[in-house]
């Protein structure tokens, strides 16, 4: 019974991915934890690990293939005792020569949703399906088969388990019938057996077997219970109509042929376009701007950087930037104005305890917004070091999905390009985003007389469903107070 390897969903928004490289070839032995392939998403290149043992019998999707849909069959793994050369994807796609009823009875297993319990380090799911297992939608609710047996246990009583799980169970004298599987479709994997052994299930089973008081199989008891009525299928909701616009041919028709070149969209640019259109169409933006003086902050920054310890080569342990102070100030301001540390969630508002601040990082062809978690608790030097690491890995497209997802707000700084002020687009589900302009010398009135100060303009974009005008103004005032009296950020 070969195991299907499906294109994993490496992030909640991933729909397709590029199979960049296979790190195993056909015939290679596979162990749990082995890296099988590199997958390129719209945001990063991520490694996909195996969760079972066996032999890589067949690579279905060759490396270099672009836009492979999530849950598409990409490879087959032969289990222990199977002939890899005879493995075929027999249960994955319906037979095109079969009649219509046969097609209805054999849905495309590769298109079923990835089961839980196979999380990858990147936060997605590694999708495995058994060739001879019915899709999840064909089973009654509650993880039971038609005869009442737990999912993963066919009528004959055999439990689906990985070779490693079976070997450990045999060594420990553990009855797999007493173990609940957390793998795909109730499949028993190594961690289930380890948990049963630590919980004493193995010892209890051995005692019951020796005394002849073994409990009846779970499926036997389940047969006596009435079958649960399947819930009626709900009709799918009609998709919202997208706004009309010019087609590619219409746009090109406005220009002289040969006066331009066509640049294909990569996954990142497609995602950016989709997300920003979604933001401007669904999030009611409004904008608040104010000027912030920087003289005290620049003086403190110079003093702190001068006091940084140096290694034997004279390299300082840290070098704080103005942006590091901005991140810290916004995080603390959100703690002082907790109602603004919120996001919209359809029929409710989620208010967060910690300040998770995203920071826009420009890369070739797009941008990332890695998130500094619990920024209010971190020192400026920690924020600086973490931001440098995240920015470097963002430019190399090596970020994990959990490193650029989430957060309640973000910082977008174009000051280094001389931009005086701008309004940034909110990245859903964030409730706000702070746009930071360039610091410059400005003439202001102080005590009735003109004075020259270093100042910058910041603009807060707010989701009006979450942050009203007065609340946004309160948040900006708290931010301004921290920037102009920066010693409070060192405490």
């Amino acid at each position: 019974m070969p195991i299907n390897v499906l294109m994993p969903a490496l992030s909640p928004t991933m729909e397709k991915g590029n199979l960049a490289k296979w790190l195993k070839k056909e015939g290679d032995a596979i162990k749990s934890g082995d890296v099988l392939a590199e997958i390129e998403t719209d945001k990063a290149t991520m490694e996909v690990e195996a969760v079972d043992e066996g032999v890589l019998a067949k690579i279905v999707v060759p490396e270099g293939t672009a836009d492979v849909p999530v849950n598409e069959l990409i490879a087959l793994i032969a289990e222990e005792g199977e002939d890899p050369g005879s493995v075929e994807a027999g249960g994955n796609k319906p037979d095109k020569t079969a009649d219509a009823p046969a097609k209805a009875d054999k849905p495309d297993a590769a298109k079923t949703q990835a089961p839980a319990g196979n999380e990858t380090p990147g936060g997605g799911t590694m999708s495995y399906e058994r060739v001879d297992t019915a899709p999840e939608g064909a089973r009654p609710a509650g993880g039971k088969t038609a005869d009442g047996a737990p999912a993963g246990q066919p009528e004959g009583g055999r439990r689906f388990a990985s070779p490693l799980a079976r070997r450990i169970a045999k060594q420990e004298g553990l009855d797999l019938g007493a173990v609940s599987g957390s793998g795909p479709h109730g499949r028993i994997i190594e961690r289930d057996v380890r948990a049963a052994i630590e919980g004493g299930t193995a010892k209890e089973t051995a005692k019951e077997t020796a005394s002849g008081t073994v409990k009846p199989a779970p499926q036997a008891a389940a047969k006596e219970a009435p079958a649960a009525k399947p819930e009626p299928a709900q009709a799918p909701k009609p998709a919202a109509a997208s706004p009309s616009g010019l087609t590619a041919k219409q746009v090109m028709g406005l220009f002289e042929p040969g006066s331009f070149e066509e640049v294909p969209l990569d996954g990142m640019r497609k995602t950016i376009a989709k997300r920003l259109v979604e933001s401007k169409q669904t999030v009611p933006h409004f904008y608040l701007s104010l000027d912030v003086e920087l003289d005290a902050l620049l003086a403190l920054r110079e003093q702190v950087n001068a006091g940084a310890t140096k290694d034997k080569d004279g390299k300082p342990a840290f070098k704080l930037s103005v942006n590091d102070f901005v991140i810290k100030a916004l995080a603390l301001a959100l703690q002082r104005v907790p109602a603004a540390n919120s996001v919209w969630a359809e029929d409710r508002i989620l208010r967060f305890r910690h300040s998770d601040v995203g920071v826009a990082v420009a890369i070739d062809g797009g941008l990332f917004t890695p998130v500094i978690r619990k920024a209010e608790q971190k020192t400026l030097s920690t924020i600086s070091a973490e931001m440098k690491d995240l920015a470097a890995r963002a430019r190399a497209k090596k970020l994990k999905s959990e490193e650029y997802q989430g957060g309640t707000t973000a910082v977008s700084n174009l000051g280094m390009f001389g931009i005086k002020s701008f309004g940034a687009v909110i990245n859903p589900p964030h409730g706000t985003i702070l746009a930071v302009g360039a610091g410059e010398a400005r003439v202001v009135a102080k005590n009735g007389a003109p004075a020259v100060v270093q100042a910058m303009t910041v603009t807060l974009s707010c989701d009006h469903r979450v942050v009203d005008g007065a609340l946004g103004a309160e948040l900006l005032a708290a931010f301004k107070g921290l920037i102009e009296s920066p010693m409070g950020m060192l405490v």
Side-chain angles (χ1 to χ4, degrees), residues 83-101:
D83 178 14
S86 63
V87 167
E88 294 183 1
N92 296 288
K93 297 183 180 179
D95 185 357
K96 294 183 179 180
T97 62
D99 54 11

Side-chain angles (χ1 to χ4, degrees), residues 9 61 67-68 77-78 85 110 131 156 218 241 247 259 266-267 356 376 385 431 481:
V61 177
D67 294 334
V68 181
I77 293 179
V131 170
T247 66
S259 63
D266 59 12
D356 295 341
E376 82 280 3

Side-chain angles (χ1 to χ4, degrees), residues 77-284:
I77 293 179
E79 284 197 304
E80 184 180 358
E82 289 185 301
D83 178 14
S86 63
V87 167
E88 294 183 1
N92 296 288
K93 297 183 180 179
D95 185 357
K96 294 183 179 180
T97 62
D99 54 11
K103 289 184 178 181
D105 292 339
K106 295 183 179 180
D108 188 347
K111 298 289 185 180
T112 57
Q113 185 172 353
N118 296 295
E119 294 79 2
T120 67
T125 55
M126 184 63 203
S127 304
Y128 281 118
E129 291 278 358
R130 279 202 167 273
V131 170
D132 62 344
T133 303
E136 194 69 26
R139 302 178 185 183
K144 304 283 185 179
T145 60
D147 66 350
Q153 182 173 354
E155 187 174 354
R158 183 192 168 196
R159 302 302 303 273
F160 289 146
S162 70
L164 180 58
R166 287 198 297 268
R167 185 162 61 249
I168 296 173
K170 184 177 181 181
Q171 292 172 351
E172 299 292 335
L174 175 63
D175 179 12
L176 290 178
V179 180
S180 297
S182 63
H185 302 288
R187 178 182 175 82
I188 300 171
I189 57 180
E190 179 189 3
R191 66 166 174 258
D192 303 322
V193 175
R194 298 289 187 193
I197 294 170
E198 292 175 3
T201 305
K203 296 177 182 178
E204 293 173 6
T205 304
K207 290 179 180 179
E208 291 171 352
T209 303
S211 60
T213 59
V214 179
K215 297 179 181 178
Q219 65 269 25
K223 286 182 179 179
E224 298 174 4
K229 295 182 179 180
E231 296 182 2
Q234 296 181 350
K237 296 180 180 179
S242 59
S244 59
L246 295 177
T247 66
K249 288 185 177 180
Q250 289 173 329
V251 173
M252 290 189 289
L254 300 174
F255 303 95
E256 181 182 352
S259 63
F260 57 84
E261 64 172 317
E262 297 181 37
V263 180
L265 298 180
D266 59 12
M268 175 177 289
R269 181 49 56 184
K270 288 178 182 177
T271 299
I272 291 173
K274 179 181 177 181
R275 296 274 291 167
L276 294 187
V277 168
E278 174 192 347
S279 177
K280 293 298 286 187
Q281 288 179 341
T282 63
V283 178

Side-chain angles (χ1 to χ4, degrees), residues 385-428:
E386 190 172 326
M387 196 60 239
K388 286 181 174 65
D389 171 63
L390 289 170
R393 289 192 290 115
R395 295 185 180 101
K397 293 189 176 182
K398 293 295 184 182
L399 287 178
K400 299 177 181 178
S401 60
E402 64 265 25
E403 292 177 317
Y404 56 80
Q405 292 173 354
T408 58
T409 189
V411 172
S412 181
N413 191 340
L414 295 179
M416 65 286 295
F417 300 106
I419 302 300
K420 183 175 181 179
S421 66
F422 66 102
V425 180
I426 294 171
N427 181 28

